[in-house]
């Protein structure tokens, strides 16, 4: 991180100095008091269960040189304290100020499904030519994105920043910090539809990623998505797809190699190329097409783009396929939506295995849409041998699968019940998909399968 001083923090946040020296230099910024070392700025965040202001004393004890606060606190000798209106918004203000110091290309990615994998692919492609900063893990919200921005250094030549959302206006806020000149929207699904009310509203929210665009900026869209295909704007648009042959980039001759991934052909500049994606699923062909579009935007040679896609590293708990003691585990339990569940089931159905077992948990934040959407997910279990559901709304998946004729269906309320059931049920050479919203804590199931 490029050093800032207390005066910069005051200017960025319109704050006031409670105590300390304006020329005191800050080497890092953190929201975790346990990591607040020497010369660091601690930003206390008020959350649902905890108030970071309670940890200001421990942050100072751990060596923090500066804190910002939205609550009146007494001066502390030898420390720097800045009073702001809202520490959460102040974090974004500081990040916006910090980002403005860097005149470098910025790519931002959002979408209902696949944004993290797409971010990983894009970063791998751009890293073939540029020193690339990318969002780590899921640091894609109003706290994580600023912390990503603070990792920018002069060595970086391009930034790839993921943006997540659950309510209208969040993407606008994140875009005001990142100021992307290229944006990618992977799709418009049903994630957070309980909060936004319709897919049309979700699309409107996603499109806010372009709110700070000029006519020279580029929006890259999934042209097979019915809502995204309609989008226009006063800027450049490139589309990619599989079904819509009018897209600028079209994947064809898609070959599925099961656990070994997928290959497809694409034409660029009148020349045909063969592209290998090491993780399975047609949905990852879309992600690769987005990465190709970004690579071409920044003049990465097509041969290097292909190498980057082939070698990219996937963020954990997202379609990780590994063998453990003669069991193949598909760990896709970081998050879930009806769309990503369908994609995961398709991956499982295409893999050759003695038994194909899908362990599916609840999908959160889809409210009254759950019954119909998850029932439809269940009807697509044609080539699955066993379905195990955990939780309340996952029972709709079971009902759909039962209607479609699947015989081996087991429903449980709690993860602990499943763990006990799996002890005697799992056999050698089974392939097991583990998929649910993050709040279901399905990593416990993955860990149990690995240790079996």
């Amino acid at each position: 991180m490029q050093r800032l001083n207390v005066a910069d923090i005051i200017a960025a946040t319109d704050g006031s100095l409670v105590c300390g020296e304006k020329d005191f230099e800050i080497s890092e910024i953190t929201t975790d008091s346990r990591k607040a070392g020497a010369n660091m700025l601690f930003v206390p965040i008020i959350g649902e269960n905890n108030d970071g202001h309670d940890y200001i004393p421990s942050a100072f004890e751990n060596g923090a040189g500066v804190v910002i606060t939205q609550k009146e606190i007494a001066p502390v000798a030898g420390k720097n304290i800045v009073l702001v209106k809202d520490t959460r918004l102040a974090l974004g203000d500081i990040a916006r100020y910090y980002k403005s110091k860097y005149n470098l290309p910025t790519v931002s990615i959002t979408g209902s499904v696949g944004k993290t994998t797409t971010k990983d692919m894009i970063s791998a492609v751009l890293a073939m030519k540029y020193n690339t900063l990318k969002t780590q893990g899921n640091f894609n919200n109003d706290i994580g994105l600023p912390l990503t921005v603070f990792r920018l250094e002069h060595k970086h030549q391009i930034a790839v920043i993921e943006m997540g959302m659950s309510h209208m206006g969040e993407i606008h806020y994140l875009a005001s910090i990142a100021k992307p000149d290229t944006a990618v929207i992977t799709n418009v699904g049903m994630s957070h539809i309980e909060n936004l009310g319709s897919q049309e509203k979700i699309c409107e929210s996603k499109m806010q990623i372009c709110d700070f665009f000029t006519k020279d900026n580029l929006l890259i869209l999934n042209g097979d998505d019915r809502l995204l295909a309609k989008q226009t704007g006063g800027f450049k648009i490139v589309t990619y797809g599989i079904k819509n042959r009018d897209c600028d980039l079209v994947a064809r001759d898609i070959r599925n190699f099961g656990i070994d991934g997928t290959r497809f052909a694409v034409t660029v500049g009148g020349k045909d190329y063969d592209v290998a994606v090491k993780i399975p699923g047609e949905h990852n062909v879309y992600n690769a097409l987005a990465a190709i579009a970004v690579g071409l935007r920044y003049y990465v040679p097509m041969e290097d783009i292909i190498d980057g896609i082939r070698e990219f590293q996937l963020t954990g708990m997202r379609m990780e396929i590994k063998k453990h003691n003669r069991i193949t585990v598909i760990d896709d339990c970081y998050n879930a939506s009806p769309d990503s569940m369908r994609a995961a089931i398709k991956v499982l159905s295409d893999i050759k295995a003695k038994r194909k077992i899908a362990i599916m948990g609840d999908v959160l934040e889809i409210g009254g849409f759950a019954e119909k959407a998850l029932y439809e997910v269940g009807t697509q279990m044609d080539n699955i041998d066993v379905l195990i559901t955990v939780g309340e709304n996952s029972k709709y998946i079971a009902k759909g699968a039962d209607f479609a004729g699947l015989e081996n269906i087991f429903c449980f309320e709690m993860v602990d019940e499943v763990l006990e059931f799996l002890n005697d049920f799992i056999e050698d050479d089974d392939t097991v998909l583990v998929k649910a919203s993050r709040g279901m804590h399905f990593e416990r199931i993955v860990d149990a399968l690995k240790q079996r």
Side-chain angles (χ1 to χ4, degrees), residues 88-377:
R88 199 179 194 108
L89 293 177
L91 180 69
D93 291 336
I94 299 167
R96 191 178 295 109
Y97 173 86
Y98 187 80
K99 177 68 165 53
S100 69
K101 292 176 171 288
Y102 292 85
N103 183 26
L104 84 170
T106 301
V107 182
S108 288
I109 303 100
T110 193
S112 296
V113 180
K115 55 184 173 290
T116 299
T117 303
T118 303
K119 175 258 300 181
D120 289 335
M121 285 195 190
I122 289 172
S123 300
V125 164
L126 294 176
M128 301 298 293
K129 184 174 181 178
Y130 305 100
N131 189 317
T132 304
L133 172 77
K134 76 167 184 174
T135 300
Q136 295 296 320
N138 67 322
F139 275 43
N140 61 14
N141 63 6
D142 63 332
I143 296 174
L145 187 145
L147 295 177
T148 296
V149 167
F150 296 139
R151 292 174 44 234
L152 272 172
E153 298 180 7
H154 289 303
K155 67 180 181 181
H156 291 121
Q157 298 170 296
I158 198 164
V160 181
I161 297 178
E162 181 180 336
M163 295 182 181
M165 53 143 279
S166 57
H167 294 85
M168 181 66 74
E170 290 177 332
I171 294 294
H172 173 88
Y173 176 74
L174 298 177
S176 76
I177 298 171
K179 295 289 180 66
D181 44 57
T182 298
V184 177
I185 306 179
T186 61
N187 46 54
V188 177
M190 296 186 68
S191 298
H192 311 298
I193 196 168
E194 181 180 23
N195 300 330
L196 287 136
S198 69
Q199 285 187 290
E200 286 73 16
K201 283 292 184 182
I202 294 172
C203 184
E204 181 183 342
S205 182
K206 301 292 186 189
M207 284 294 295
Q208 291 177 345
I209 200 170
C210 308
D211 280 358
F212 300 90
F213 268 19
T214 70
K215 63 181 179 63
D216 296 320
N217 294 151
L218 175 65
L219 175 62
I220 298 171
L221 296 174
N222 179 344
D224 284 350
D225 186 289
R226 67 177 181 86
L227 293 173
L228 293 179
K230 302 175 184 178
Q231 299 304 313
T232 59
F235 39 78
K236 302 173 185 177
I237 295 178
V238 166
T239 57
Y240 60 88
I242 298 173
K243 301 170 186 176
N244 182 357
R245 296 290 166 169
D246 292 329
C247 289
D248 299 294
L249 286 172
V250 179
R252 64 182 194 282
D253 188 24
I254 298 173
R255 288 145 285 159
N256 187 337
F257 295 96
I259 196 171
D260 295 318
T262 309
R263 300 183 76 95
F264 65 93
V266 65
T267 301
V268 174
K271 184 177 178 180
D272 294 337
Y273 296 91
D274 191 68
V275 182
V277 184
K278 67 181 180 182
I279 52 176
E282 187 176 90
H283 58 292
N284 285 309
V285 173
Y286 285 104
N287 299 339
L289 287 171
I292 292 171
V294 173
L296 294 173
R297 161 73 162 171
Y298 293 104
Y299 308 105
V300 180
M302 192 61 193
E303 291 77 8
D304 290 342
I305 291 174
I306 292 170
D307 288 343
I309 292 171
R310 184 176 59 246
E311 300 301 327
F312 91 103
Q313 297 297 312
L314 191 65
T315 295
M317 292 194 291
R318 291 169 173 84
M319 201 54 69
E320 284 188 291
I321 304 178
K322 294 183 179 180
K323 288 191 175 182
H324 302 278
N325 300 320
R326 296 192 64 181
I327 299 171
T328 300
V329 179
I330 305 175
D331 179 0
D332 198 23
C333 67
Y334 184 79
N335 218 332
S337 68
D339 305 285
S340 65
M341 280 187 156
R342 282 192 290 269
I345 290 166
K346 182 65 167 62
V347 169
L348 178 62
S349 68
D350 289 341
I351 290 176
K352 293 180 180 179
K354 185 181 75 173
R355 289 194 307 175
K356 302 173 186 179
I357 302 171
I359 305 178
M360 316 292 278
D362 283 350
V363 178
L364 308 180
E365 294 188 353
I366 58 173
F369 297 88
E371 182 172 0
K372 182 177 185 294
L374 296 180
Y375 183 90
E376 291 176 353
V377 169

